[in-house]
């Protein structure tokens, strides 16, 4: 039976909603007005996530992302407003991070077995993808031109884009937009390792979120963080990976090396006002590594927690609210 409480005399009901999305599942816990149409809210949340997937999936042949990837350099391509917003932020984080966050790694992702093309590394494909990625061209934030007022984009060089490092965070933000449109002021929305809180819980308590321990094969909590009007995202090497001999290669791609991340960082967790930023910066800091990533986060004032693999143990390094780590 749903939990009930009240706000300014109006009864609220605790709802737990969830559904499939983007190869995983979304979930929402919220304190909603008792008379709300729960089915309509669920349908709206499912539609919001499905729209992001339809536009930005590297697995759906008819997605807007793959349509842009297939387009020849120099051709303007009409794109949805939502995707242009994500592309704009992806290019900005790419620029600010010096390429640690790199949206133009689609060919590398496929070649190393993490995309739609194959499920294991292919030496020939890796060589071709590395050569194409290393070919002289402007930086990605210059090689992809966005015309936001006209709703279009064009490539000035061959690019195969992949938005998996930012799209799930954006999908969480879209869920939060939908919750607010339905009058929900107290909610926790989640999609995989990306979460965002709207306000506190109705009783005034913050939302408690477990930070996952980067242990292979099982899930346990490394700690707990309390969220209120705040988003959190984690990127790590422990959920999706391939093994090459005795080496475990994480799914996050370092475009500067043309290879998966392999820098001793088990995970990076980032706090931000919105989940799109938290998602993108968690990816960027994971790729950048503990040295460059720490300097980058300090320069930009990011709040982040690194879990580093050191001699069979985990070492914590934190900034901002994670500074006591």
């Amino acid at each position: 039976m749903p939990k009930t409480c009240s706000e300014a005399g109006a009864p609220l009901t605790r709802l737990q909603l969830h559904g499939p999305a983007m190869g995983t599942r979304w979930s929402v816990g919220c304190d909603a007005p008792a008379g709300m149409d729960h089915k309509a809210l669920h349908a709206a949340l499912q539609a919001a996530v499905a729209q992001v997937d339809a536009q930005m999936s590297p697995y759906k042949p008819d997605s807007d992302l793959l349509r842009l990837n297939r387009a020849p350099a120099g051709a303007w391509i009409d794109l949805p407003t939502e995707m242009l917003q994500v592309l704009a932020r992806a290019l900005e984080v790419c620029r600010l991070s010096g390429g640690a966050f790199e949206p133009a790694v689609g060919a590398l992702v496929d070649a190393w077995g993490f995309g739609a093309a194959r499920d294991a590394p292919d030496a020939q494909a890796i060589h071709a993808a590395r050569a194409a990625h290393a070919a002289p061209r402007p930086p990605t934030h210059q090689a992809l031109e966005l015309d936001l007022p006209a709703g279009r984009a064009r490539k000035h060089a061959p690019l195969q884009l992949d938005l998996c490092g930012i799209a799930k965070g954006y999908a969480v933000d879209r869920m939060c937009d939908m919750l607010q449109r339905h009058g929900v002021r107290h909610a926790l929305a989640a999609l995989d390792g990306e979460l965002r809180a709207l306000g506190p819980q109705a009783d005034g308590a913050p939302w408690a979120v477990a930070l996952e321990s980067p242990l292979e094969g099982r899930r346990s909590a490394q700690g707990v963080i309390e969220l209120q009007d705040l988003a959190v995202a984690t990127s790590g090497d422990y959920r999706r990976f391939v093994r090459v001999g005795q080496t475990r290669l994480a799914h996050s791609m370092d475009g500067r090396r043309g290879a998966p991340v392999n820098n001793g960082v088990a995970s990076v967790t980032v706090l931000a006002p919105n989940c799109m930023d938290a998602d993108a910066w968690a990816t960027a800091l994971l790729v950048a590594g503990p040295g460059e990533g720490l300097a980058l986060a300090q320069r930009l004032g990011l709040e982040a927690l690194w879990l580093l693999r050191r001699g069979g143990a985990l070492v914590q390094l934190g900034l901002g609210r994670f500074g006591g780590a």
Side-chain angles (χ1 to χ4, degrees), residues 109 212-213 228:
V109 170
E212 190 173 4
S213 178
Q228 179 174 329

Side-chain angles (χ1 to χ4, degrees), residues 1-5 12-16 28-32 38 186 201-203 207:
M1 180 176 295
K3 171 186 173 183
T4 60
C5 53
L12 300 177
T13 301
R14 172 61 57 91
L15 301 178
Q16 299 291 342
V28 167
C30 64
D31 295 321
H38 304 163
H186 309 280
Q201 300 181 62
D203 61 8
W207 299 91

Side-chain angles (χ1 to χ4, degrees), residues 163-282:
L163 296 175
C164 289
I166 191 171
K168 286 182 179 178
Y170 179 72
V172 172
D173 290 335
R174 295 286 293 125
M175 285 195 289
C176 289
D177 291 342
M178 200 59 62
L179 287 162
Q180 290 175 316
R181 290 182 192 178
H182 281 74
V184 177
R185 299 171 55 196
H186 309 280
L188 180 68
L191 178 59
D192 211 7
E194 288 70 53
L195 302 95
R196 180 175 165 186
L198 291 179
Q201 300 181 62
D203 61 8
W207 299 91
V209 173
L211 298 181
E212 190 173 4
S213 178
L215 297 176
E216 181 182 340
R218 66 185 180 90
R219 291 192 172 186
S220 61
Q222 183 73 22
V224 175
I225 185 168
E226 295 182 333
L227 299 181
Q228 179 174 329
D229 290 318
L230 195 64
V232 62
T234 298
S235 292
D237 70 352
Y238 54 94
R239 190 79 63 79
R240 289 186 61 206
F241 55 86
V242 295
R243 291 193 182 276
V244 178
Q246 298 300 310
T247 303
R248 182 176 66 177
L249 300 176
H251 75 285
S252 295
M253 199 62 53
D254 185 346
R256 299 172 299 183
R257 295 174 48 247
V261 172
N262 186 19
N263 57 13
V265 179
S267 69
V268 180
T269 298
V270 173
L271 297 173
N274 64 75
C275 207
M276 177 169 62
D277 279 2
D279 193 9
W281 282 115

Side-chain angles (χ1 to χ4, degrees), residues 45-56 64 80 82 170 174:
L45 292 168
Q46 185 69 58
V49 179
Q51 182 188 55
V52 176
D53 196 23
Q55 293 180 8
M56 306 176 209
D64 295 290
E82 297 84 4
Y170 179 72
R174 295 286 293 125

